Amino acid sequence: MRKHSRAAVVVAVLFAPFALRAEIDLADLDFEALAQVEIISVSRRAEPVFEVPAAATVLTGNEVARLGRRTLPDTLRFVPGLFVGRINQRDWAVSARGFAAQFQNKLLVLADGRPLYTPLFGGVFWDVPAFVVGDLDRIEVVRGPGGAAWGANAVNGVINVVTLPAERTQGAYVQGVVGSDHRGGAVRYGRRAGEHWAWRIYALGDDFSATRAAGGTGDFGDAWRRHRVGGRADGVIGADRWMLQAEWFDHRGGSRVLVPVRATAGQPALFDRGTRGHGGHVLGRWTRTRADDEASTVQFFADRARYRQPFGGERRDTLDFEAQYSGRIAAHRWSAGLGYRWSGDDTERGGPAQFEPPKATTTIANLFAQDTWTLQPDRLDATLGLKLEENSRAGFEVQPHGRLRWRTDSGTVAWLAVGRAVRNPTRFETDIRYDALVRPPGALGPGTPVSVVRWSGTDDIRPEELWAYETGWRRTRARWSAEVVGFVHDYRRLSDVVPVGTPVPVQDELGPLLVVPYRYSDTLRGHSYGVESAARCEFSPAVAARVAYTFTRVVQSTRAPGVNEVFFERTTPRQVAFVRVETQPFADWECDVAVRSVTRSRWVQTPGYVAVDMRVAWKPRSDWRLEALAENLTDPDRTEFLGGADARSAAVPRTVHLRVTWER
Amino acid sequence: MGTLGRRRFFRAVLWIVAASAMVGTVARGAGETPRRVERPEPVIAAYLVNFARYVTWPSDSGAAGAPLVLAVVGPDTFEGALERAAEGRTASGRPMMVRKARTVADLGAAAHVVFFAPEAAKNALPAPAMPPGALTVGIGPGFLEAGGMVELIVREGRMTFAIDLRRAEAAGLSISARMLAAAAEVRR
């Protein structure tokens, strides 16, 4: 080992024992001493979800299991305010508050606090997040520029998938699913190791088959499979908690897309390069809780991933370190933190998308502080927060936000929020050279050679900016709750790709070529506004219903003749709604029906649709569960959304699946 | 500079782990950290063991030295904390053992201290199937009203208890003065 590695190991080993302390044995204490022991999980005034002054939704692990969906985007269909459009078996468009696109760049997705998006183009590979559903604690979704704490690219929302600590996932868990287009399974085993810590290991695998084309003429080439292996350990040392997590994943799929290939004189060829994502990560966290609202957390992660898409690929290493502190001073609850992220990539050469330079690194340092000032105890409080970020490629940005919250005794919360969020330019926008469109000779006029629409990135591009204005009202009672949120988002410097100058004749090894140059620019302005509403009602212990309705409209205020000319306005459907009824007709049976509706998206040129899903579950014994899930019972073979250049839209089929879960 | 070579990558990981361990230590203040636990279950387990020590059961049909049974009715969230508290400890010279049951009916013949998990406490009492002479313990509020004998009270992050003495004595149990003095409330 090199000298430095050895030193690092010695340091870690030296300091670790000092961090350990034996836990006192409570059963030896007498009554008086027992009455003095402080129970942190009870004393910490964690804010219940229904009091959060933000457009937040939490799906608990039980709710996710009850939904029974097979992928994360399918589960997110039932989060109020989100739009989910399926492109094909593997590709999705998920958005909040407009800007729906396959590679949208305005939603931040995290798994246990670790971001799942790639800074290469700012998007999320929605097939990548995969979890053993029995190990899920919750999925938190915050729409809007969620909190100063989240970081770069949390512009329209944050989705955080949180898994349970190891001591809550003890024993064996086995699940298998089989059905019309999917076979898969998951296995987990967890155990307590000693007094103070526990661990679990898990593996999951899924095989999704290609969507068949209507009329039985072949398939869309969107079959894929995924494997994932990982483990987690959690422990408690006195009042401190630690967590360590590691995972390895490998996803592979076909992706038969139409990619313009010059070699065949501009005739688009069906390109069957396939897609692959694989990699792994290690994440560790240490939390110390002192008293009410006083805690400090330190987290690090190291992530290595390799993604290959038809248009290009990258290998990326990410290292991240964060520390957060929170406390209380009189009527103020404050929190502050700092973080540092290093992200380096090595992009593939030779594909349609080339990055100049092929390798690059980005470092992001950030500092945030937030204070909640209680103006009237349990009635009125105000929060002010600030995040400062220094990005090695985009410079210095300030993201302030403010919230006002009013609460009543009877479980009503009303709030107002204003905030600024920034989206840093991606490598795609600054460094790309992408042959987006190849046309055959004569397409641009008689006598013209093969022509190529070539997109170039530019260093002049500035970060996109959002000012968000939101207000919300929520009322929670024992048997029902309702929520309405209104928002206006004002965007500046939205990125676009615009033509620059006249076509340039060029000669290269393949012959004459006419290059039509396009370049990224940041001159688009626009705004989105809408209403997100949701309600839940428990009619009886055996029947409950949830309803959600979202209206979103995106308006562009500048008309530049670019690629996104009317794109933003048209992709997001204006109205998204769903109704879910969950019943327990007999003691061990569950029967749920969901009806979801999306109005047309003018860009996709599909009419709106109404889809019906049904789920029936039977729990014959406490450790067995059998489920049958039928999706898209009505209106099958519709198209929900279009992919980017490299994902073909496949019809959404009617599917039926059976799932067996055994847990002890 | 693109991705790190493997060696540098793992070295960086080691440095970050070292830095985290350092921060975790240095951030620790000097001096005693007051007793704190994450979840209530270890404290409940400690109370149940203590109750077993300070309560006298009527002449048991069991032989002297037969273990005292600490039972949990309902979903078990102890994660072994009760077994660990009972292990190696005795009450009045008798060892203790732990039994879990979904409902009172599953309890069996002998149970000395019966703890009701919150979900199981609703409508559980009075329970005709309750083994005779069992001390019923639950988490409040409302457990004493519902018919229990000892109610664990969590207030401001700390746990104490209240006793319905009349009910306990009606079942033939005798509660030591020490335990009565430590109770936040004793109903006679």
Side-chain angles (χ1 to χ4, degrees), chain B residues 138-160:
Chain B
I139 299 190
F143 188 70
L144 290 183
E145 278 77 30
M149 294 175 197
V150 177
E151 180 178 305
L152 293 172
I153 305 163
V154 181
R155 197 179 287 146
E156 283 164 22
R158 292 180 168 78
M159 188 180 290
T160 57

Side-chain angles (χ1 to χ4, degrees), chain A residues 2 5 21 25 28-29 36 38-41 167 195 240-241 288 290 300 304 315 317 345 361, chain B residues 1-4 7 11 16 24 27-28 33 35-38 40 50 79 84 89 154 157-158:
Chain A
R2 290 270 176 87
S5 307
R21 264 195 64 185
D25 215 338
D28 287 329
L29 300 180
Q36 293 305 310
E38 192 183 329
I39 306 167
I40 294 161
S41 60
E167 69 263 13
E195 285 270 317
D240 295 356
R241 259 202 100 82
R288 165 171 311 155
R290 257 173 277 279
F300 82 91
R304 164 166 282 195
R315 243 184 39 204
D317 288 333
D345 66 61
T361 62
Chain B
M1 184 168 66
T3 52
L4 298 173
R7 206 174 266 164
R11 201 165 69 201
I16 290 176
R28 178 180 286 276
T33 317
R35 291 183 181 111
R36 236 178 248 124
V37 289
E38 269 252 329
N50 269 298
E79 286 158 10
R84 284 192 296 279
R89 291 197 172 84
V154 181
R158 292 180 168 78

Side-chain angles (χ1 to χ4, degrees), chain A residues 482-496:
Chain A
E483 171 179 40
V484 180
V485 171
F487 67 89
V488 173
H489 281 200
D490 186 15
Y491 297 91
R492 272 168 230 181
R493 306 202 290 261
L494 287 170
S495 72
D496 191 6

Side-chain angles (χ1 to χ4, degrees), chain A residues 10 44 170 205 238 265 269 277 322 351 362 377 466 479 481 504 517 564:
Chain A
V10 166
R44 185 189 310 149
Q170 304 273 290
E322 287 170 23
T362 313
L466 159 70
R479 303 268 287 270
S481 67
V504 176
N564 288 332

Side-chain angles (χ1 to χ4, degrees), chain A residues 315-553:
Chain A
R315 243 184 39 204
R316 178 171 293 276
D317 288 333
T318 312
L319 297 170
D320 186 288
F321 177 84
E322 287 170 23
Q324 259 195 49
Y325 306 91
S326 58
R328 193 175 191 108
I329 300 172
H332 294 259
R333 263 185 20 229
W334 61 269
S335 60
L338 49 92
Y340 184 82
R341 179 177 303 167
W342 182 98
S343 184
D345 66 61
D346 189 349
T347 58
E348 272 188 17
R349 284 57 145 176
Q354 291 287 291
F355 292 86
E356 285 303 320
K359 296 189 193 191
T361 62
T362 313
T363 56
I364 308 176
N366 71 73
L367 202 65
F368 85 88
Q370 177 175 294
D371 179 35
T372 303
W373 184 15
T374 307
L375 301 164
Q376 282 180 37
D378 290 327
R379 275 276 179 280
L380 188 64
D381 51 53
T383 304
L384 276 179
L386 187 68
K387 186 168 190 114
L388 305 174
E389 210 165 83
E390 169 73 42
N391 181 307
S392 62
R393 293 154 49 76
F396 183 71
E397 287 292 341
V398 175
Q399 298 176 79
H401 79 269
R403 291 178 197 271
L404 199 61
R405 173 174 63 173
W406 176 71
R407 283 182 280 181
T408 67
D409 272 337
S410 55
T412 306
V413 178
W415 54 271
L416 278 176
V418 175
R420 177 180 189 260
V422 151
R423 183 187 72 76
N424 294 310
T426 60
R427 283 256 275 149
F428 216 92
E429 290 160 335
T430 55
D431 300 337
I432 194 62
R433 221 197 61 172
Y434 178 45
D435 289 348
L437 190 61
V438 176
R439 293 200 193 92
L444 287 189
T448 54
V450 173
S451 62
V452 158
V453 170
R454 183 165 289 167
W455 293 6
S456 302
T458 169
D459 279 333
D460 294 333
I461 206 170
R462 292 162 300 170
E464 280 181 7
E465 177 191 60
L466 159 70
W467 273 98
Y469 310 91
E470 309 169 81
T471 177
W473 171 93
R474 201 184 287 123
R475 170 164 271 177
T476 313
R477 290 269 197 278
R479 303 268 287 270
W480 64 271
S481 67
E483 171 179 40
V484 180
V485 171
F487 67 89
V488 173
H489 281 200
D490 186 15
Y491 297 91
R492 272 168 230 181
R493 306 202 290 261
L494 287 170
S495 72
D496 191 6
V497 194
V498 297
V500 281
T502 52
V504 176
V506 151
Q507 186 90 10
D508 69 8
E509 67 273 4
L510 288 174
L513 176 70
L514 204 58
V515 173
V516 182
Y518 271 62
R519 195 166 62 217
Y520 268 94
S521 82
D522 59 10
T523 50
L524 269 189
R525 287 196 59 164
H527 62 272
S528 72
Y529 63 88
V531 168
E532 301 159 348
S533 61
R536 169 194 71 86
C537 182
E538 202 176 284
F539 298 104
S540 75
V543 180
R546 283 170 207 270
V547 171
Y549 171 80
T550 306
F551 173 83
T552 316
R553 181 143 186 248

